[in-house]
Amino acid sequence: MAEQQPVSTNGRAGGDDASNGVLEQLTDDQLRWIYQIMRRIRRFEETAEEAFRAAKMRGALHFYIGEEATATGVCAALDDGDFITSTHRGHGHCIAKGARMDKMMAELFGRTTGYCGGKGGSMHIADIELGNLGANGIVGAGIPIATGAALGSKLRKDGKVTVAFFGDGAGPTGAFHEGVNVAATMNLPAVFVCENNQYGMATHADFANAAPIHNRGPAYGIPSASIDGNDIFEVYATAREAIDRARRGEGPTLIESRTYRHKGHTVLDQKNYRTKEEIAEWVARDPIERFVRAVNESERLDEDDFRAIDGQIEREIEHAVAFAEASPWPTVDVIERDVYVE
Amino acid sequence: MAVTTPQAPAPDTATREIFMSEALREAIDEEMTRDPAVFVVGEEVGVWGGAYAVTQGLLEKWGPDRIVDTPIAEAAIAGLGIGAALTGSRPVAEFMYSDFMGIAMDQIVNQAAKNRYMFGGKAKLPLTYRAPFGAGTGNAAQHTQSLEAWFAHVPGLKVITASTPYDAKGLLKSAIREDNVVIMFEHKAIYAMRGHVPEGEYLVPIGVADVKREGDDVSVITYARQTHHALEAAEQLAAEGISVEVVDIRSLYPLDTDTILRSVRKTHRAVVLYEAVRFGGFGAEIASQIQELAFDDLDAPVLRVGAAHAPVPFSEPLEQASFPDTAQVVEAIRQSLQGLY
């Protein structure tokens, strides 16, 4: 059984832009990658929201804006062949795992060129080749699947690690307990990353969970950490340690990443369960702005670097929307296709 | 139960007589030899050897990296199968009793069954779930159900079940080689049934029914243990000059409608026999297809014989009376012939 100890920089004050030396360990290319991924996530969702409000797409859109540092920091510490499972709020995980925004946008538009040929939509984007085992419309359901992927890696001895992303809303589910407990008993190469964005729809995490989720680490005999999820450097350092540990065969880790969704649960939000002040307080802790401030202070990248990345992303976004709009709708003859491998 | 399989392999094939549970074990063992990606996972599949001894001896042979014991955690077992299958393994995941699949329903129905479709056909789940089912063992309401219709109703799942050791081995081997999610329901009351299997390797294809006895007057369409009640009924009625054909569907989805229709078009009468609760059971699907596709060939309404509308009771006389036996099948066949419905 794993030794119980907290990992990483547990307990640092939120809002602190200092990276505690983590920034210095990252290369300029890694810093550019982090900025690019976080900005892609934000611009993708801002653009998707516009398209939704213009009635160009339908269904449900769950926004990740404000939480970008968690997906980005964790995926920055993963290798290309590693696996993730995602959630209904999954755009950020997809992009951070390397998904193409044009195929994602086309999927949101319900077109044949989308990741799922229009059969999945926002909540079911997967790219098995990239190691993204799927966003998921059922809260908590990705956790046992991640445990299964980690079991597969252990049996195949392929050296891969699986990260399960899930929200505070998954804390109360049975799938959480079964998935984490089995991973711990089998000492599997898995990392369980709880994105505590404070609310499951209008239900506060503290109401839904009898005690903080990170407290459960000792209950399963695995290390756990509670981190500032808006601090990309703390996320990265914590994930790095947990992922390395899993890859060494030392078993799973539970990370609770405290963050906040700036937007409502979906485009349709009751807006009656949190105050303007609370939202403003968290927007002031915006993970992208904090990253930029820290990098600027370190003088590692300059304005031109950021501007170049921004410009590139605007071109990608423009292309993604044009690609989605120009793509054909599926024809009805495919309704019963791909239910089974023929 | 010491029933001998009615299906003898071809006469020139060397055979052995083995138990149903041994046939299933041979299927798993052979497929594990054939493909290193195959592994077994579930509760008590290792040290204990499986609650019904199907995996007995496999831990000793293959070790804990191929025969994986889990805690009691059905949702996790279902998810272990999905995650491992998505990433390159070929799991055979066992539910100790099919009744326990209720705990894993989200993983089976919302995840395993739908992943490939939701992901635009890009995911592949070579995953077999095994689950003992059926009544007659004195295990009361939570260990005896026949819930196969739940799963046959869900697109993305294939559902199979065997009545003989020969079929059990051949079907399970086909299931393990499938790149789809297959649920194999194994009737508990016939694990100890003996039957002939060939010495050499063979497969039974999924989606192909088997006529277990040919006849001219009435078709009984059935599966799993009830096949034997149908065969006993056919034998009894043969003494009276009534010729009964017994069709064992073996596969609920995909369903071999052609074989069913061929039989009904010959006999013009059909009794659909199943051990699940009669109301809303899988037999209703079979009956419906027969009347839709062979209405003009029918000389009598399609009859259904199924279990009582109650949980399975414990006390032996109650339990035995709660699901169809040979006498009820005989009675239904007479009704079909005499128009007493």
Side-chain angles (χ1 to χ4, degrees), chain A residues 83 115-116 119-120 124 126 128 133 136 138 141 144-145 147-149 155-157 178 182 186 335 337-341, chain B residues 39 65 69 73-76 79-80 83-84 87 89 106-107 111 116-122 156-157 179-180 253:
Chain A
F83 302 112
Y115 263 105
C116 317
K119 283 177 173 168
H124 302 299
I128 310 294
L133 305 182
N136 206 312
I138 307 292
I145 296 172
T147 300
L155 301 185
R156 295 188 303 267
K157 300 180 172 61
E178 290 201 22
V182 166
M186 296 184 180
I335 289 176
R337 203 174 293 163
D338 287 328
V339 180
Y340 300 92
V341 175
Chain B
F39 74 95
D65 279 358
D69 269 325
E74 283 79 11
L80 288 170
T87 56
S89 295
D106 174 67
Q107 291 289 320
Q111 314 298 328
R116 177 174 177 77
Y117 189 82
M118 293 190 304
F119 301 164
K122 295 189 193 76
L157 302 176
D179 285 339
N180 290 299
Y253 194 91

Side-chain angles (χ1 to χ4, degrees), chain A residues 154-335:
Chain A
K154 184 185 177 190
L155 301 185
R156 295 188 303 267
K157 300 180 172 61
D158 64 13
K160 294 178 180 177
V161 172
T162 303
V163 168
F165 289 105
F166 56 96
D168 47 288
T173 69
F176 170 95
H177 170 67
E178 290 201 22
V180 176
N181 182 63
V182 166
T185 61
M186 296 184 180
N187 207 39
L188 300 180
V191 179
F192 299 99
V193 177
C194 174
E195 299 169 323
N196 182 348
N197 68 6
Q198 317 293 323
Y199 294 93
M201 292 185 75
T203 301
H204 198 271
D206 293 346
F207 171 86
N209 294 281
I213 289 168
H214 68 267
N215 283 7
R216 299 179 195 177
Y220 297 110
I222 63 173
S224 59
S226 172
I227 60 170
D228 177 353
N230 285 17
D231 177 348
I232 184 87
F233 302 109
E234 184 169 8
V235 173
Y236 172 78
T238 311
R240 171 96 271 161
E241 194 173 336
I243 291 162
D244 289 349
R245 188 175 171 278
R247 211 182 302 280
R248 288 195 304 268
E250 293 168 25
T253 300
L254 173 64
I255 299 170
E256 180 176 354
S257 181
R258 295 186 312 277
T259 185
Y260 199 77
R261 57 169 157 78
H262 293 179
K263 303 272 183 180
H265 168 65
T266 60
V267 176
L268 307 170
D269 192 76
Q270 291 297 336
K271 296 188 174 70
N272 61 356
Y273 56 91
R274 50 187 196 174
T275 62
K276 288 194 177 73
E277 292 73 24
E278 180 184 292
I279 296 170
E281 209 175 290
W282 279 94
V283 169
R285 285 180 234 157
D286 185 290
I288 302 179
E289 287 174 16
R290 284 171 65 184
F291 170 81
V292 170
R293 275 202 301 274
V295 173
N296 280 339
E297 280 165 27
S298 75
E299 299 181 349
R300 289 282 297 281
L301 303 181
D302 60 24
E303 274 306 310
D304 288 346
D305 286 308
F306 290 125
R307 216 173 295 133
I309 294 168
D310 286 343
Q312 175 62 31
I313 289 172
E314 288 317 303
R315 286 191 292 279
E316 289 172 3
I317 289 286
E318 212 170 292
H319 162 72
V321 172
F323 174 77
E325 285 184 320
S327 293
W329 292 96
T331 49
V332 294
D333 59 305
V334 304
I335 289 176

Side-chain angles (χ1 to χ4, degrees), chain A residues 113-135:
Chain A
T113 53
Y115 263 105
C116 317
K119 283 177 173 168
S122 165
M123 284 191 281
H124 302 299
I125 294 174
D127 192 332
I128 310 294
E129 306 264 299
L130 285 177
N132 177 0
L133 305 182

Side-chain angles (χ1 to χ4, degrees), chain B residues 6-287:
Chain B
Q7 175 171 338
D12 58 343
T13 317
T15 66
R16 293 165 295 126
E17 196 178 30
I18 60 172
F19 292 114
M20 172 88 92
S21 53
E22 290 177 280
L24 293 161
R25 186 184 316 137
E26 285 186 3
I28 295 168
D29 189 41
E30 287 177 17
E31 292 308 302
M32 288 182 72
T33 305
R34 181 176 177 269
D35 183 352
V38 176
F39 74 95
V40 172
V41 61
E43 295 159 9
E44 306 294 355
V45 295
V47 176
W48 187 284
Y52 286 91
V54 169
T55 51
Q56 208 164 61
L58 294 184
L59 175 66
E60 292 73 10
K61 176 171 178 181
W62 292 104
D65 279 358
R66 302 290 296 279
I67 305 294
V68 181
D69 269 325
T70 71
I72 297 170
E74 283 79 11
I77 292 166
L80 288 170
I82 297 164
L86 279 173
T87 56
S89 295
R90 194 170 282 275
V92 179
E94 176 178 319
F95 297 103
M96 188 182 283
Y97 287 84
S98 63
D99 312 68
F100 304 168
M101 292 166 86
I103 300 156
M105 214 58 178
D106 174 67
Q107 291 289 320
I108 300 168
V109 171
N110 283 324
Q111 314 298 328
K114 294 179 175 53
N115 268 354
R116 177 174 177 77
Y117 189 82
M118 293 190 304
F119 301 164
K122 295 189 193 76
K124 190 178 80 173
L125 276 89
L127 169 58
T128 303
Y129 291 126
R130 296 180 39 245
F133 82 115
T137 50
N139 286 326
Q142 297 168 340
H143 292 70
T144 51
Q145 293 168 91
S146 297
L147 301 171
E148 62 278 7
W150 289 4
F151 301 92
H153 185 65
V154 178
L157 302 176
K158 293 190 176 186
V159 180
I160 56 176
T161 187
S163 65
T164 66
Y166 176 87
D167 286 350
K169 181 175 176 182
L171 280 170
L172 183 55
K173 282 169 69 76
S174 292
I176 295 171
R177 292 187 194 185
E178 274 265 342
D179 285 339
N180 290 299
V181 185
V182 181
I183 303 179
M184 171 111 181
F185 285 103
E186 301 164 3
H187 200 296
K188 295 187 286 284
I190 53 175
Y191 271 127
M193 194 189 89
R194 292 168 70 85
H196 288 278
V197 299
E199 284 292 350
E201 181 169 72
Y202 69 98
L203 297 171
V204 171
I206 291 171
V208 180
D210 184 45
V211 178
K212 287 283 193 281
R213 179 185 176 116
E214 293 196 6
D216 298 316
D217 299 331
V218 182
S219 299
V220 179
I221 296 115
T222 187
Y223 50 94
R225 189 261 295 269
Q226 289 299 330
T227 305
H228 301 286
H229 291 158
L231 290 167
E232 285 167 15
E235 194 61 31
Q236 283 181 27
L237 290 164
E240 300 173 23
I242 297 168
S243 171
V244 177
E245 178 146 309
V246 177
V247 178
D248 175 3
I249 60 169
R250 298 197 292 201
S251 173
L252 282 71
Y253 194 91
L255 181 64
D256 181 2
T257 308
D258 289 347
T259 298
I260 296 169
L261 293 177
R262 204 177 305 127
S263 177
V264 174
R265 287 185 174 128
K266 178 173 69 170
T267 64
H268 308 292
R269 294 167 196 274
V271 172
V272 182
L273 167 64
Y274 52 108
E275 196 167 305
V277 170
R278 183 172 175 271
F279 184 94
F282 189 74
E285 174 66 29
I286 299 172

